[in-house]
Amino acid sequence: MSQPERKTAVIVGANGNLGKATCEALEAVGFDIDPVWRTAERPDAALASSYERLPKKIHFAAYLAGVNVVEDTQNLSETDWGRVLATNLTGAFLFAKAAFPALAAAGQSAFVGISSINTMHPYPRRAAYAASKAGLEGLIRELAVEWGGHGIATHCIRLGHLEAFMRTTKPNPAFLDAVKAHTPSGELIPAEAVAGYMAWLATGGARYISGSVIDFDPAYTINRIPL
């Protein structure tokens, strides 16, 4: 009896806290992870050339790469604006474009992008980040319409506050304490919880859902009580 085909996942941004947790969650359900993005010498996510040697079949693809610049919009340089858009949005487009043949070849597959609560609840001084993530949400919806006939579902996770900051963000424990105080459960989001959700998507948990943007946020953004 032949062995069932092992499924393959490509995780761009695999070296971050969320990326590492996602790789572990996918491996736990039987996925092989493309090793290219797990090395210290990983490619530049914002370059088309970085996606020239993707696997021939991709059952699950996730774009987790992201950077942020905190600056007043009137003082934000074009260079920083371009850098954030290149990593957060253009890279996702380039990855999706290059991965399409392999996603379609897999039969039933999924493509996931990570957005941010800043698209709907923006913090000051984050214009490039908010704009790039809003664009990513639009891209995910567009791909759902175009790719559904090829067996590819797309999902966007509008992520709230993880327990750890992005590597490009200056740590500020007081900020996270304030977020926890304003979150009804008093908890931040463990990376493992998001990773588990993505593993569920990867194994067909939401096969008949595509183009959705889920608020992965424990009511922090809708908790409007003033006291």
Side-chain angles (χ1 to χ4, degrees):
M1 181 180 296
S2 62
Q3 294 294 320
E5 177 187 30
R6 287 185 64 84
K7 294 185 176 182
T8 298
V10 180
I11 310 300
V12 178
N15 279 2
N17 293 325
L18 179 56
K20 291 176 181 177
T22 299
C23 290
E24 291 175 2
L26 289 169
E27 288 175 328
V29 294
F31 275 78
D32 290 329
I33 312 296
D34 183 5
V36 172
W37 299 94
R38 304 180 79 175
T39 66
E41 297 77 28
R42 62 194 179 280
D44 185 341
L47 296 178
S49 59
S50 298
Y51 305 106
E52 291 177 349
R53 297 182 180 180
L54 293 172
K56 298 300 181 183
K57 285 187 180 181
I58 300 174
H59 300 84
F60 184 75
Y63 191 83
L64 313 184
V67 296
N68 188 16
V69 172
V70 179
E71 181 58 89
D72 292 328
T73 303
Q74 65 270 25
N75 297 325
L76 183 65
S77 70
E78 290 184 34
T79 298
D80 282 341
W81 171 271
R83 179 167 62 89
V84 173
L85 268 290
T87 299
N88 296 2
L89 179 56
T90 302
F93 159 70
L94 294 172
F95 178 38
K97 183 178 179 179
F100 168 74
L103 289 164
Q108 293 292 332
S109 57
F111 183 92
V112 174
I114 299 295
S115 182
S116 165
I117 57 174
N118 272 266
T119 62
M120 300 298 291
H121 304 273
Y123 292 152
R125 312 181 74 219
R126 290 160 175 83
Y129 187 75
S132 66
K133 293 300 187 179
L136 178 63
E137 292 183 10
L139 174 64
I140 293 295
R141 288 193 176 99
E142 171 67 23
L143 295 179
V145 174
E146 292 190 24
W147 287 2
H150 299 276
I152 308 167
T154 70
H155 308 276
C156 196
I157 298 174
R158 186 184 287 149
L159 190 58
H161 288 283
L162 294 176
E163 291 177 332
F165 279 100
M166 293 171 57
R167 288 183 298 174
T168 58
T169 302
K170 182 178 179 181
N172 186 342
F175 178 83
L176 289 184
D177 287 343
V179 171
K180 288 172 68 175
H182 195 69
T183 302
S185 65
E187 295 181 295
L188 301 176
I189 304 169
E192 292 75 16
V194 186
Y197 178 74
M198 283 196 275
W200 177 72
L201 294 176
T203 53
R207 177 178 174 181
Y208 298 102
I209 299 172
S210 188
S212 64
V213 180
I214 180 172
D215 286 303
F216 206 110
D217 166 44
Y220 164 72
T221 56
I222 62 173
N223 185 21
R224 299 300 189 187
I225 187 167
L227 297 176

